[in-house]
Amino acid sequence: MKTTENGIGETNVDEIDANEIDANEIDTCHVSVMPDEVVYWVADPTVAETPTKIVVDGTYGGGGHSRLLLEALPADDVRVIGLDRDPAVSARVSSETHDPRLTVFLASYEQVPKALDQFDLTAADALVLDLGLSSDQLADRERGFSYTVDGPLDLRFDPENGVPASRWLAMHDEKQIADAIYQYGEERFSRRIARAIVAKQRERQPISTVNELVEICRRCVPRSRNHDIHPATRTFQALRIAVNDELGILERTLRDAPNWIAPGGRMVIISFHSLEDRIVKNAFREDDRWEILTKKPLRPTESEVAHNARSRSAKLRVARRR
């Protein structure tokens, strides 16, 4: 197992309340979503037109999908390449012992070509993207992903690059903040929230912690009748998307991915909110290089949801390279 520091280059809402975690219940062991479905679409010989040898796990995280795929593909010449933007993942991987057929790089999934090039490869047989947050990221008090645990308002997948959410808020005006919260979080009260954030800045009390932003959301967002959605859910989702350029990276990847996948290869994507799913659906439909294998998104089974509540908003789509 190896990670890379410079070989690839350092990478410069959920619709349900997946981020709402009790501080005493945070689990640092991420459970991969829809694992059986991912293995089927990547490794099952009835799906693959040619043997699956090269697989890219573009969102390695806890490594659950990669481990299952290696088990399902026992041949010695199989290679699984993992990518993840989070240095904490890289540090953890470096301390573990793994199947020698697995290599993990510190990089965004839009850098697949550079990862393939490390092995003199030009195309993969499958590319897997699980776009959700991991339990480990939610558990990190220094990252601010869970609004039930106070800490710095950071929200970056890669805390070594980019700007934290607190600084992002300080760099943008009221309209820009409101537009981002509305566009990326689909929050109806975005203007009210943005106005309160800017008011704090004018009082020389800029938002810097999770609790400070949560309190603004509580004041500005009326609690829904069914109480299913925390008032801060959509705002935190929006800022996370903005800070990490999540949708931009996804759009660029989908535009270029047919160049990275061999004919007959599959692209398997799990999304967790409508913005991501809409981008994936449209990209597959509008590019005639793809053959759509899932006419409608697949959903987790009732049994999986019962054992892993965070899976309940997952949608899985698959397309095959023509």
Side-chain angles (χ1 to χ4, degrees):
M1 167 60 74
K2 63 179 180 179
T3 57
T4 181
E5 295 179 356
N6 299 309
I8 289 185
E10 297 183 3
T11 56
N12 295 327
V13 161
D14 298 357
E15 292 180 308
I16 52 84
D17 235 348
N19 294 345
E20 191 169 356
I21 305 174
D22 187 288
N24 297 318
E25 297 177 351
I26 286 180
D27 182 2
T28 58
C29 182
H30 179 66
V31 179
S32 297
V33 172
M34 302 183 74
D36 294 340
E37 292 84 349
V38 169
V39 170
Y40 172 75
W41 289 106
V42 171
D44 194 291
T46 64
V47 176
E49 295 180 343
T50 58
T52 301
K53 300 293 185 182
I54 308 299
V55 178
V56 176
D57 182 349
T59 47
Y60 181 80
H65 287 134
S66 288
R67 283 191 293 272
L68 291 172
L69 290 168
L70 286 164
E71 291 173 5
L73 298 166
D76 291 339
D77 58 348
V78 166
R79 180 174 295 280
V80 173
I81 300 170
L83 301 175
D84 204 285
R85 298 170 70 181
D86 192 337
V89 171
S90 179
R92 190 197 72 240
V93 168
S94 297
S95 68
E96 298 172 338
T97 301
H98 294 275
D99 189 312
R101 299 174 298 161
L102 170 69
T103 304
V104 180
F105 294 108
L106 176 62
S108 164
Y109 59 76
E110 69 175 330
Q111 294 180 294
V112 167
K114 292 183 179 180
L116 292 172
D117 188 59
Q118 297 292 307
F119 304 98
D120 295 322
L121 299 169
T122 58
D125 299 310
L127 170 58
V128 177
L129 299 179
D130 176 354
L131 303 176
L133 280 170
S134 74
S135 301
D136 296 340
Q137 288 168 325
L138 286 164
D140 190 338
R141 294 173 182 268
E142 298 303 311
R143 309 286 278 279
F145 287 117
S146 173
Y147 39 71
T148 61
V149 181
D150 194 23
L153 186 64
D154 194 308
L155 299 180
R156 287 174 293 175
F157 293 141
D158 179 359
E160 298 176 5
N161 287 284
V163 299
S166 56
R167 185 177 170 193
W168 188 95
L169 290 173
M171 293 167 56
H172 292 82
D173 62 29
E174 182 178 324
K175 183 179 185 303
Q176 291 170 323
I177 294 170
D179 288 348
I181 294 174
Y182 183 78
Q183 180 181 357
Y184 299 143
E186 300 178 301
E187 173 56 73
R188 292 186 298 135
F189 300 95
S190 60
R191 302 209 175 282
R192 189 183 297 179
I193 295 168
R195 192 177 306 120
I197 290 171
V198 172
K200 295 288 286 185
Q201 294 172 349
R202 288 171 179 161
E203 296 169 3
R204 299 186 182 278
Q205 296 178 326
I207 305 300
S208 62
T209 70
V210 168
N211 280 355
E212 288 169 351
L213 182 57
V214 168
E215 182 56 31
I216 284 177
C217 293
R218 288 188 187 280
R219 296 201 314 265
C220 295
V221 180
R223 191 73 171 180
S224 60
R225 290 182 180 179
N226 58 18
H227 296 278
D228 283 345
I229 303 296
H230 189 285
T233 298
R234 295 185 173 91
T235 297
F236 272 71
Q237 172 187 301
L239 292 180
R240 193 197 78 213
I241 288 173
V243 166
N244 293 289
D245 189 27
E246 292 180 45
L247 300 186
I249 290 174
L250 180 60
E251 288 171 341
R252 293 191 295 273
T253 296
L254 286 163
R255 179 195 64 203
D256 297 335
N259 300 323
W260 313 337
I261 299 177
R266 281 82 60 213
M267 189 165 189
V268 180
I269 304 181
I270 302 172
S271 61
F272 289 82
H273 57 73
S274 60
L275 298 175
E276 292 172 340
D277 183 59
R278 191 178 305 125
I279 290 172
V280 175
K281 177 181 67 176
N282 291 338
F284 284 169
R285 284 182 176 179
E286 295 169 3
D287 192 328
D288 59 13
R289 292 174 293 179
W290 292 120
E291 174 193 358
I292 297 174
L293 300 183
T294 51
K295 302 304 180 185
K296 293 184 178 180
L298 304 180
R299 304 301 300 272
T301 63
E302 292 182 5
S303 174
E304 179 175 0
V305 173
H307 288 89
N308 181 15
R310 294 176 196 165
S311 71
R312 63 191 183 272
S313 63
K315 294 180 179 180
L316 184 149
R317 293 183 186 270
V318 185
R320 180 160 49 207
R321 179 70 165 86
R322 295 185 190 277

